[in-house]
Amino acid sequence: MNLNAYYGDLQAVRNANIFVKKGEIVALLGANAAGKSTIVKSISGIIDRVEGEIFLNNQSIDKYTAHQRVELGIVQVPEGRQLFPFLTVKENLEMGAYTKRARGHLKENLDRVFELFPRLKERENQLASTMSGGEQQMCAIGRGLMAMPQIIILDEPTLGLAPLLIKKIFEIVEELRDLGITVLLIEQNVRQTLKIVDRAYMLSNGKIVAEGKAEELINSEKVKASYLGV
Ligand code: ATP
């Protein structure tokens, strides 16, 4: 990858190398402005100035537009959820199935999402804007799953949620793993994230400063001192 990403003259990401294997849950961790969202946006193809190569299944995707990358199965659940507030839960989910590959599987995928999130089934006809933050996050993840991702990228799914709902979202991420779904999870919540992911990258000022298996990072003195307040 060796990714460099810029906003005008500002370099937001420097020489970042990350990979996610099929079926893995990998986290990208770091404080505000560390460059996490910029990496995600580079993968999704919505940053104008990116250097380096990005691969999906050993195929370079650099020449693909953002829309084509979604068609390939790179699906991002954006920070702040970005639901359609005046559409119902079901309509929001259906919007996720707009890709060619997912369109023909709408019914089975909707059933699958409702099975994973019974709360959404209960509220399928409710307007998205009237749901709690946690429910809206479930709806945003569900909408991502409707696109039949090869990899789903969750950008700070616990942001702004109460502790109980944060716990629920982490449980959902673990359920995604049980379903064999490949996940790149962006988080600031280092301690809780390292408990559930396989591997992680720690980002600071646009650079990867530590990486490895989650259990190694939890026990690393550097990570403990910088991120876990130990
Ligand atoms: P957060 O948790 O706040 O989203 P982050 O780790 O995702 O943080 P980025 O959003 O990737 O961080 O930001 C990395 C750097 O790029 C920051 O210095 C930020 O100010 C800058 N930046 C982000 N978006 C833009 C933009 N659209 N234009 C100019 N600079 C930007």
Side-chain angles (χ1 to χ4, degrees):
M1 205 178 189
N2 208 24
L3 190 81
N4 288 284
Y6 305 80
Y7 297 103
D9 290 336
L10 175 98
Q11 184 163 9
V13 174
R14 290 171 194 276
N15 299 323
N17 281 300
I18 72 169
F19 66 91
V20 183
K21 291 191 210 151
K22 203 168 163 39
E24 257 190 335
I25 304 204
V26 173
L28 202 51
L29 297 163
N32 272 328
K36 306 181 298 295
S37 294
T38 305
I39 292 186
V40 167
K41 288 178 188 162
S42 303
I43 296 170
S44 297
I46 50 177
I47 297 275
D48 288 340
R49 201 173 150 210
V50 175
E51 292 163 1
E53 271 192 301
I54 301 171
F55 297 91
L56 179 71
N57 300 331
N58 297 322
Q59 178 192 3
S60 170
I61 60 162
D62 297 331
K63 297 214 162 42
Y64 288 86
T65 62
H67 176 73
Q68 288 168 331
R69 292 181 197 202
V70 181
E71 282 290 351
L72 285 175
I74 300 175
V75 176
Q76 188 182 341
V77 178
E79 187 178 326
R81 320 189 237 289
Q82 316 286 344
L83 294 176
F84 299 96
F86 301 116
L87 295 184
T88 64
V89 168
K90 187 165 174 232
E91 287 163 344
N92 266 283
L93 292 173
E94 286 168 352
M95 295 296 274
Y98 72 94
T99 57
K100 277 196 210 103
R101 48 194 251 121
R103 228 173 275 157
H105 303 275
L106 195 145
K107 176 73 179 71
E108 70 203 65
N109 286 331
L110 197 57
D111 288 346
R112 194 169 77 124
V113 169
F114 282 149
E115 203 176 304
L116 184 63
F117 302 115
R119 182 73 64 89
L120 296 184
K121 175 71 187 158
E122 285 164 24
R123 286 159 205 254
E124 63 178 313
N125 295 316
Q126 196 169 318
L127 292 186
S129 58
T130 63
M131 297 203 300
S132 75
E135 289 162 353
Q136 290 191 23
Q137 187 60 55
M138 286 178 207
C139 190
I141 295 173
R143 184 180 57 183
L145 294 174
M146 292 294 291
M148 302 181 78
Q150 293 211 48
I151 179 167
I152 189 162
I153 306 175
L154 309 179
D155 194 349
E156 301 209 31
T158 65
L159 194 69
L161 297 183
L164 258 181
L165 290 173
I166 292 179
K167 194 164 167 270
K168 177 74 191 159
I169 296 297
F170 279 118
E171 283 168 13
I172 288 168
V173 175
E174 288 189 285
E175 283 180 52
L176 295 181
R177 182 219 314 273
D178 296 341
L179 293 172
I181 295 169
T182 308
V183 182
L184 178 60
L185 173 63
I186 313 308
E187 266 295 335
Q188 295 197 27
N189 204 323
V190 175
R191 190 183 297 273
Q192 273 169 296
T193 302
L194 286 179
K195 283 189 190 152
I196 62 153
V197 299
D198 299 307
R199 288 188 301 110
Y201 296 88
M202 322 291 295
L203 203 66
S204 175
N205 287 322
K207 285 191 199 148
I208 290 168
V209 290
E211 63 181 276
K213 289 192 176 146
E215 66 265 26
E216 288 167 9
L217 290 172
I218 289 179
N219 294 317
S220 133
E221 292 307 322
K222 183 171 159 194
V223 171
K224 277 189 198 166
S226 307
Y227 295 94
L228 298 174
V230 179

